[in-house]
Amino acid sequence: MTSISFNSTAASALSLLTGSNKALQESQDRISSGLRVNQAADNAAYWSIATSMRADNLSLSSAEDATGLAAAVTDTAALGMEQATSIVSDIQSKLILAKAVGGDKTAINSEIDVLKDQLKTVAKSASFNGQNWLNLDKGQSPQVESMVASVSKSSEGQLSVNVIDFDTAGSTLVSAENADDGMLTRSYSGTTATGSAYEYYLLDPGATTPTSASAKPISLSASTTNDDIDGMIAATNAMMSSLTDAGAQIGATASRISQNTEFLADLQDVTAKGVGRLVDSNMEEEATRLSAAKVQQQLQTQMLNIANSGTRSSLSLFM
C-alpha cells in the first residue's frame, strides 16, 4: 500500500540530491578559488600553517623591496666612485704630462681645474633617495648606514630583521664639515723618491674644519718645479689607492646585497610552493569531481521527479 502522507522514495532522492548539490558547490568553489583549504573549517591545521607562511612571505617581500632600495644606493655610490677614480687618474696623467719638456703648465692647470669641477659634481650627484655616501655637507659626519638584508623567525615565532652595515667614512670623497673626512679634501704628505717633502690636497670645499694649514692645493703654474710636480703625483697616487680601496668596499657591499635579494626571491618562491602543497586544489581532480557531481545531480533530479510522479499517480485515484 502506498502512503500519501510521506513519500520515502522521494525523501531519499531529495537527500541524495542535496548531497550532490553540496558536492557540486564545493567543487565549483575549489575551482574558482584554486584552493582546497579556503578557510579554517576546511582543515584547521593546514589553514593555520598556510596563514602563518603567507605572513612570512609578506615579510620576505618587504625585505626584498628594502634590499632593492639598498642596492640602488650602493649602485649609485659605486658609479660615482668609479667616475671619481677615473677623473683623478686623468688628473694624475695631466701632472705627469706637465713634466714634459716644453709642457704648458698653465694650460694643463686649466684642464685640471675643469676636472676638479667634475669631481665636485660627481660627489654631489651620487645621491639616491637622499642617501649620498660620497659627499658630506656642512654639519654632516661619516656614519654607519644599516641596510635590510633579510628577515628571520625564531623557533618561538619572534621576527628579526638582519642588516648589512656600511661605514661611509670609507667612501666619503668630499666633506664640507671636516676636510680630513674626505679622500679628495684631506691632505696627503710624504717624501718623494728624490727626498723632497710634500703635503697636498686636491679639492677645497671651504670646510668648517679645513685640512692641514701647511698643505698646498694640487695646482700648476709657470713657476711650478719638477720637485713640486713629483709631490703632487705622489699625493694623487696615494689618493688613487684610497679611492680603489673604497670602490672595492662598495663593490663587496653591493655584491652581498645582490646575493641577498636573489636569495629572498628564491625563498619566497619556495615558501609559496610549500603553501600550495598544503592548500591548493588539484585542478584536474576537481574538474573530474565537478563533472561527476553534475552527472549525479542530473540523475538524482530525475529520480526525484520519478518518485514524485508516483505520488501524483496515487493521489489521482482519490480525485
Side-chain angles (χ1 to χ4, degrees), residues 40-56:
D42 296 331
N43 188 313
Y46 283 5
W47 179 86
S48 176
I49 295 172
T51 300
S52 177
M53 292 176 70
R54 288 192 185 106
D56 291 345

Side-chain angles (χ1 to χ4, degrees), residues 1 25 29 42 54-55 105 177 184 187 196 212-213 229 251 276 282 289 297 314 319:
M1 181 178 70
Q25 185 61 49
D29 290 343
D42 296 331
R54 288 192 185 106
K105 295 175 184 176
E177 176 60 25
L184 304 181
S187 62
S196 300
S212 171
I229 296 175
N282 184 318
R289 288 174 182 165
Q297 184 189 49
S314 297
M319 295 177 64

Side-chain angles (χ1 to χ4, degrees), residues 79-96:
L79 180 61
M81 187 63 67
E82 181 182 350
Q83 186 66 22
T85 303
S86 177
I87 294 173
V88 172
S89 179
D90 287 343
I91 291 175
Q92 189 177 56
S93 297
K94 301 296 183 185
L95 292 172
I96 294 173

Side-chain angles (χ1 to χ4, degrees), residues 162-209:
N162 307 311
V163 299
I164 294 175
D165 291 332
F166 183 85
D167 190 350
T168 59
S171 64
T172 302
L173 297 178
V174 176
S175 175
E177 176 60 25
N178 187 339
D180 288 340
D181 288 336
M183 285 177 278
L184 304 181
T185 54
R186 69 171 65 114
S187 62
Y188 296 84
S189 60
T191 305
T192 65
T194 59
S196 300
Y198 67 86
E199 187 175 10
Y200 290 102
Y201 63 87
L202 185 59
L203 300 180
D204 181 8
T208 303
T209 304

Side-chain angles (χ1 to χ4, degrees), residues 146-164:
S146 296
M147 299 164 288
V148 175
S150 63
V151 291
S152 58
K153 182 181 284 188
S154 67
S155 56
E156 291 79 18
Q158 295 180 339
L159 190 69
S160 59
V161 180
N162 307 311
V163 299
I164 294 175

